[in-house]
């Protein structure tokens, strides 16, 4: 049986049709960066302090003394969550017209019983200022983003199964619609609870759309352009959307209008229906050879090549049907000691890298300097990061490259606590260097995972790794929430876990210049697993021992 690439070799690798598919599917990822990180501005916390009712008839001098001063880092500022007891202040103001003649610090304090006053200097409104998500309710802001990532986790779980059952194209456009429609519905949220519920569905649609576009592009494009599409097409399109977000947010300071404007980007999906076909690979797996053949002939026409008269022999069609009956389950990722060790380490890597990436992306508004510029730079730094990851993948061993870039990121974050407060711009630069390292690692770990797992469980391995990463995403909004206890605690934590991740990578086998494994016993060996331990008699694990296989094994052990 000829493989898929051999069957479609006559179409060419980079014809007009492949170029259009590359462009449109990359474009479909743009709204994920454009809308997915909107919470950076939609959920930002404006400057605020307790509201003082006007019916107290306090003089301006007394009004300015109703809020206590608190030490924040290296400066004094008005408390955001406390005020002096207003009944006492009212009585004192009637007795002492001049507040300087009274020791205000001896007056008892109380929480903001009448709500808060929010600065309009940067935002007209955010979900924080509209629903008072501050002080005792400050946890609700990060929780809204955690709900989004729970939706992402759910989408990661169901999108692959739906895509395998109903087709890549249908799920791609269906989830695009889910993301756009629920983003619009969020505009009409009357309360925080409904906003969170809708945010769940936005997250579900976003990741499903992203994964479906990646899979569809990988299956439609030739083997020489798949990696370029995955890293430079999909990832850079996401980064461009990320970079565009602060530009739009700068001119739209109302969170409802901003969400509506961002949701309009979903309109770019509509024309794509006529330019992007269903995956012929999926059609063949489902036994729909005639539909796949029709797509091949259409591509051949667009590329100006002559298709063969007969695409598949009867024997090949029977072979396709037989292969479609083979299946694997998540249990196969844990059966032998070797694949179990690789799977556990892989899960930890995905969780660490993704949680740090999302935590840094959501924290741009807390960095020193202009929020909009910081967000733009955080997106812009990903472009060279993805280009660097492509160069690393092309020229250097995967294991050493990934270890090195993770270790660099960990060391950089440790240094941030050593930067004096008057040199905050240097701290911001270090954060951007760390973001570069984490973005680079995120792109590389995807390719590394593809090469680690054998064909029989590769989709399962990637899918479960993605699910593991979403568990890390759920906790990511709270990483920088730890800063309320100690300013540099989040950076110390990030540095520690990145160095831990770098150490874990060293346990994994090298995959550069090694043929992709087909069966589980062909996988490269985990550092502390013997060759015999990861063999198994299950049919999914074994293969015919040919001279070529023995040669590959010998080369692998030498490496």
């Amino acid at each position: 049986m000829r493989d898929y690439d051999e069957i479609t070799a006559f179409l060419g690798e980079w014809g007009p049709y492949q170029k259009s598919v590359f462009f449109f599917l990359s474009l479909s990822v743009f709204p994920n960066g454009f809308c997915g990180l909107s919470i950076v501005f939609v959920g930002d916390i404006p400057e605020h302090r307790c509201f003082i009712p006007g019916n107290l008839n306090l003089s301006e001098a007394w009004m300015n003394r109703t809020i206590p001063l608190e030490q924040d880092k290296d400066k004094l500022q008005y408390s955001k969550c406390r005020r002096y007891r207003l009944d006492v202040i009212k009585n004192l103001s009637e007795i002492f017209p001049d507040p300087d003649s009274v020791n205000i610090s001896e007056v008892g304090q109380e929480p903001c019983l009448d709500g808060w006053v929010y600065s309009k200097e940067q935002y007209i409104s955010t979900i924080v200022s509209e629903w008072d998500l501050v002080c005792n309710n400050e946890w609700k802001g990060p929780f809204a983003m955690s709900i989004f990532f729970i939706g992402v986790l759910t989408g990661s779980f169901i999108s692959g199964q739906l895509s395998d059952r109903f087709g890549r194209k249908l799920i791609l456009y269906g989830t695009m619609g889910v993301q756009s429609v629920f983003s619009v519905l969020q505009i009409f949220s009357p309360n925080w609870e409904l906003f969170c519920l809708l945010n769940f569905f936005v997250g579900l649609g976003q990741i499903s759309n992203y994964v479906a576009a990646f899979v569809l592009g990988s299956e439609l494009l030739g083997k020489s352009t798949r990696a370029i599409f995955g890293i430079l097409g999909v990832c850079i399109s996401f980064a461009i959307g990320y970079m565009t977000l602060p530009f739009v947010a700068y001119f739209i300071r109302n969170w409802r209008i901003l969400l509506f404007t961002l949701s309009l980007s979903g309109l770019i999906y509509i024309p794509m229906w006529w330019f992007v076909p269903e995956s012929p690979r999926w059609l063949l797996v489902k036994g729909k050879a005639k539909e796949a053949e029709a797509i091949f002939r259409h591509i051949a026409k667009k590329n100006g090549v002559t298709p063969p008269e007969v695409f598949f022999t009867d024997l090949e069609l029977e072979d396709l049907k037989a292969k479609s009956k083979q299946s694997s389950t998540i249990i196969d990722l844990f059966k032998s000691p070797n694949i179990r060790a690789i799977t556990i380490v892989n899960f930890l890597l995905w969780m660490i890298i993704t949680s740090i990436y999302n935590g840094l992306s959501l924290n741009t508004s807390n960095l020193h300097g202009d929020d909009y510029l910081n967000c733009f730079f955080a997106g812009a730094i990903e472009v060279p990061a993805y280009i660097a990851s492509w160069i690393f993948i092309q020229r250097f061993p995967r294991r050493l490259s990934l270890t090195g870039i993770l270790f660099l990121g960990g060391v950089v974050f440790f240094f941030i606590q050593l930067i004096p407060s008057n040199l905050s711009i240097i701290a911001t630069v270090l954060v951007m260097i760390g973001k570069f390292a984490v973005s680079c690692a995120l792109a590389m770990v995807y390719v590394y995972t593809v090469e680690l797992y054998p064909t029989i469980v590769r989709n399962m391995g990637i899918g479960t790794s993605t699910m593991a990463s979403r568990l890390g995403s759920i906790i990511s909004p709270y990483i920088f929430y730890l800063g309320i206890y100690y300013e540099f605690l989040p950076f110390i934590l990030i540095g520690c876990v990145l160095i831990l991740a770098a150490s874990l990578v060293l346990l994994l086998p090298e995959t550069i210049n090694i043929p992709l494994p087909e069966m589980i016993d062909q996988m490269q060996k985990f550092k502390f697993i013997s060759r015999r331990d990861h063999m198994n008699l299950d049919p999914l694990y074994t293969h015919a021992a040919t001279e070529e296989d023995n040669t590959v094994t010998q080369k692998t052990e030498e490496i």
Side-chain angles (χ1 to χ4, degrees), residues 386-444:
Y386 296 140
I387 294 174
S389 66
W390 169 248
I391 294 174
F392 285 136
I393 286 171
Q394 289 290 94
R395 299 185 179 183
F396 302 102
R398 277 67 162 133
R399 182 172 57 184
L400 294 181
S401 298
L402 188 54
T403 297
I405 203 69
L406 287 171
F407 185 79
L408 169 65
V411 171
V412 164
F413 284 112
F414 274 128
F415 272 109
I416 292 176
Q417 60 183 314
L418 305 178
I419 305 300
S421 58
N422 61 334
L423 298 176
S424 57
I425 188 171
I426 297 179
T428 301
V429 170
L430 290 178
V431 171
M432 293 303 168
I433 294 174
K435 179 73 183 302
F436 170 91
V438 174
S439 300
C440 191
L442 187 60
M444 292 170 63

Side-chain angles (χ1 to χ4, degrees), residues 161-183:
Q161 300 179 56
L162 293 176
S163 181
D164 286 340
R165 182 173 181 179
F166 299 107
R168 314 320 193 193
K169 183 176 179 179
L170 182 62
I171 298 305
L172 171 64
Y173 284 92
T175 53
M176 286 175 176
V178 168
Q179 179 184 353
S180 299
V181 169
F182 282 96
S183 292

